[in-house]
Amino acid sequence: MQLDTKGLTNFIDEEAIWKTVRATENPEAARVRGILDKAKEAKGLTLEETGCLLQVDDPELNEAVFETARTVKQTIYGNRMVLFAPLYITNECGNRCVYCGFKADNTELVRRTLTPEEIRQEVTVLENLGHKRLLLVYGEHPRFGADWIAETVRTVYDTVSEKSGEIRRVNINCAPLDVAGFRTLHEVGIGTYQCFQETYHTETYAALHPSGHKKHFLWRLYALHRAMEAGIDDVGMGALLGLYDHRFDILAMLTHAAELEKHFGVGPHTISFPRLEPALNADIAYNPPHPITNEQFKRLVAVLRLAVPYTGLILSTREGKTMRRELLDLGVSQLSAGSRTYPGAYADPNYDRPDVQQFCVGDNRSLEEVIQEIVHHGYIPSWCTACYRLGRTGEHFMELAKKGFIQEFCHPNSLLTFKEYLHDYAGNDTRAVGLPLVQREVDNFPAKRRDLVVSRLDRIEQGERDLYL
């Protein structure tokens, strides 16, 4: 595949972003409170406003940022929490990203690419745990093209296990493709295409990606453009925090989001913000050049929720359980659970293996353990995929979301998927806390809506599956 970057320009104005960062240092209290008043309207923030909030140091103002984020999160998303698992298909890679265990020159890493039968084994394990949504992850080796990736997606969708075991949403994290390649993935029915720029600072990017296709900054920067040109409505972006100054990368990522909205009428469906974690033979991963403290990280998530209120915020198992719990209230709307980060990991009884995994996992709890915790805190686990199958994606989804659609449809749909899980996969302890939560949520619905939801819950009780509004 030719990496054609002719005519592409870097729309990330580094000088302008740094000017914004410097101009918003030590923001005055009155300015911060004015921004938070605006943020409560859930209409988003400018880069200047975002820069101010990212640099709040005063403890009282910091808590005000958190409280505003909690309010906006609750207003838009309610208490539902979407769950998914990553499924690594291959760890073969042609890049030499200095921070990654999968880098091509890491000779100690055991390389593996799953066969179709091994993919089916992995999917069956995940289905038997109750998963319905997967993120397929591929090492970026040039020999794995769109046709092969599409075939792995078909294998996942075709794998059906006992009870209600089926994958209803397959998202993809793979190397950037050309438009024709993305069209192939769109035709096979992928959901979100996810691609992280890692850092938007070109000098740092060049130093961290010395060889392989990934060294081409502009090819990667325009990957989401090409995906959307190919018809993929939902795309996800992200930055790997710790590689460069997080203030710069967050403002640059929001610039990227605005560029997509300008060209396609809608920005990213999801944003991710992983922190650099230790990885085999990657010294920089043990000593991040720009470490971000826990307090800065929490504020960053809260500020993202205010800056792009209707964009999904994804939290991975890189973070430990305490941090993950705190971030649920501050803005996270999608959560990975029971994750394993190498090919064949879910069928491997000895899964804690640094010789094969991409990075160290901070939260090793099982899916059910995560579910029990979030239910104890009043959250409804959701595996809903209704919007994608009914065409409520991209710009259409955002238009509906801004009219309160998430609460009207996504909330009851989350209850339906959770009821499925409780009947088909949950243990007794999880049912003991989960079923009362479902009942409490049903009791709080308006009468007309309540009857509709109750009728579908009853149908699930009678054995029907995959019901949604």
Side-chain angles (χ1 to χ4, degrees):
M1 180 178 62
Q2 292 292 108
L3 307 188
D4 184 10
T5 59
K6 184 185 299 184
L8 300 183
T9 59
N10 187 2
F11 51 79
I12 305 297
D13 188 335
E14 296 185 10
E15 183 178 348
I17 290 174
W18 271 120
K19 184 178 180 180
T20 299
V21 171
R22 290 190 293 268
T24 55
E25 290 177 336
N26 303 311
E28 295 181 354
R31 176 60 177 146
V32 171
R33 295 195 183 280
I35 295 171
L36 294 179
D37 285 340
K38 174 188 174 181
K40 292 173 184 176
E41 300 174 6
K43 295 180 180 179
L45 301 175
T46 66
L47 289 187
E48 187 272 340
E49 292 164 341
T50 303
C52 284
L53 297 188
L54 284 173
Q55 302 188 85
V56 169
D57 283 330
D58 179 81
E60 183 178 341
L61 290 176
N62 201 49
E63 183 52 42
V65 173
F66 290 164
E67 187 55 38
T68 305
R70 293 184 190 104
T71 299
V72 171
K73 163 75 188 302
Q74 178 63 31
T75 300
I76 295 175
Y77 294 91
N79 61 340
R80 53 184 283 277
M81 185 59 57
V82 174
L83 299 177
F84 72 96
L87 172 56
Y88 282 69
I89 303 297
T90 177
N91 62 6
E92 297 184 60
C93 193
N95 301 319
R96 284 181 52 215
C97 310
V98 301
Y99 49 83
C100 182
F102 287 0
K103 60 185 176 180
D105 57 346
N106 186 2
T107 57
E108 292 185 44
L109 183 76
V110 178
R111 304 289 175 175
R112 183 178 181 184
T113 296
L114 299 183
T115 65
E117 180 55 34
E118 289 171 333
I119 293 174
R120 283 189 284 271
Q121 290 173 358
E122 291 284 279
V123 173
T124 298
V125 172
L126 289 164
E127 288 176 345
N128 288 337
L129 293 173
H131 279 292
K132 305 295 181 189
R133 302 164 61 109
L134 298 184
L135 171 68
L136 305 190
V137 184
Y138 305 80
E140 298 189 9
H141 199 288
R143 74 186 184 91
F144 297 125
D147 289 337
W148 178 79
I149 294 173
E151 192 57 40
T152 66
V153 173
R154 291 190 189 94
T155 300
V156 172
Y157 277 136
D158 289 345
T159 301
V160 179
S161 58
E162 296 180 3
K163 300 179 180 178
S164 57
E166 60 181 348
I167 301 303
R168 299 169 185 167
R169 167 84 167 181
V170 173
N171 299 328
I172 293 289
N173 185 317
C174 69
L177 303 170
D178 55 21
V179 174
F182 281 124
R183 191 171 291 118
T184 297
L185 297 189
H186 177 53
E187 290 169 354
V188 81
I190 73 163
T192 301
Y193 170 68
Q194 185 186 84
C195 181
F196 299 170
Q197 193 67 22
E198 317 296 11
T199 177
Y200 288 87
H201 187 250
T202 52
E203 183 179 347
T204 302
Y205 187 94
L208 296 174
H209 306 96
S211 67
H213 285 176
K214 197 169 178 177
K215 75 176 183 179
H216 299 285
F217 180 88
L218 290 179
W219 177 253
R220 195 169 191 89
L221 185 63
Y222 280 85
L224 302 184
H225 284 69
R226 296 192 299 275
M228 297 183 85
E229 287 173 20
I232 299 174
D233 288 340
D234 293 341
V235 297
M237 62 176 57
L240 182 53
L241 302 175
L243 299 178
Y244 192 59
D245 191 298
H246 72 276
R247 300 169 300 175
F248 176 92
D249 272 332
I250 292 302
L251 295 184
M253 184 165 57
L254 293 175
T255 301
H256 191 178
E259 185 75 8
L260 291 180
E261 187 157 7
K262 181 173 75 174
H263 285 279
F264 301 100
V266 63
H269 186 66
T270 60
I271 284 178
S272 299
F273 33 86
R275 285 197 284 187
L276 196 57
E277 289 293 327
L280 181 67
N281 290 332
D283 292 342
I284 192 176
Y286 289 87
N287 300 284
H290 295 270
I292 177 171
T293 67
N294 286 345
E295 197 65 18
Q296 289 172 326
F297 187 56
K298 288 191 291 185
R299 183 167 59 246
L300 179 153
V301 174
V303 172
L304 279 175
R305 175 48 62 221
L306 301 178
V308 283
Y310 294 95
T311 299
L313 298 185
I314 297 179
L315 184 63
S316 76
T317 51
R318 287 175 181 259
E319 299 298 326
K321 63 180 182 180
T322 301
M323 178 60 73
R324 276 160 58 90
R325 171 66 193 94
E326 291 184 50
L327 293 179
L328 299 185
D329 295 336
L330 293 179
V332 169
S333 56
Q334 296 190 27
L335 196 69
S336 60
S339 304
R340 299 184 182 181
T341 62
Y342 62 90
Y346 295 104
D348 184 353
N350 304 307
Y351 67 88
D352 189 14
R353 297 177 54 197
D355 59 325
V356 290
Q357 64 189 12
Q358 186 180 27
F359 56 84
C360 294
V361 172
D363 185 353
N364 286 297
R365 293 175 298 168
S366 68
L367 171 62
E368 186 152 24
E369 287 174 311
V370 172
I371 288 172
Q372 285 184 18
E373 182 191 57
I374 67 175
V375 168
H376 275 299
H377 289 283
Y379 281 94
I380 307 164
S382 176
W383 295 267
C384 180
T385 57
C387 287
Y388 315 115
R389 290 185 285 169
L390 293 174
R392 300 189 296 232
T393 57
E395 186 177 6
H396 183 44
F397 173 82
M398 286 297 178
E399 289 175 353
L400 292 169
K402 292 172 184 179
K403 298 175 183 177
F405 158 87
I406 292 178
Q407 293 283 34
E408 185 176 354
F409 287 93
C410 300
H411 185 201
N413 284 338
S414 68
L415 288 177
L416 298 177
T417 61
F418 187 35
K419 186 69 176 288
E420 271 194 34
Y421 174 83
L422 291 171
H423 271 273
D424 294 347
Y425 303 103
N428 291 333
D429 290 344
T430 306
R431 290 192 188 96
V433 293
L435 290 173
L437 175 62
V438 172
Q439 189 58 56
R440 288 196 300 272
E441 293 296 319
V442 169
D443 291 342
N444 288 329
F445 275 106
K448 184 176 180 180
R449 201 70 174 163
R450 187 189 310 134
D451 292 343
L452 185 62
V453 174
V454 168
S455 68
R456 279 169 170 72
L457 289 171
D458 288 343
R459 288 165 61 184
I460 290 173
E461 194 83 36
Q462 299 303 315
E464 289 189 59
R465 294 294 180 265
D466 196 17
L467 302 179
Y468 48 84
L469 305 182

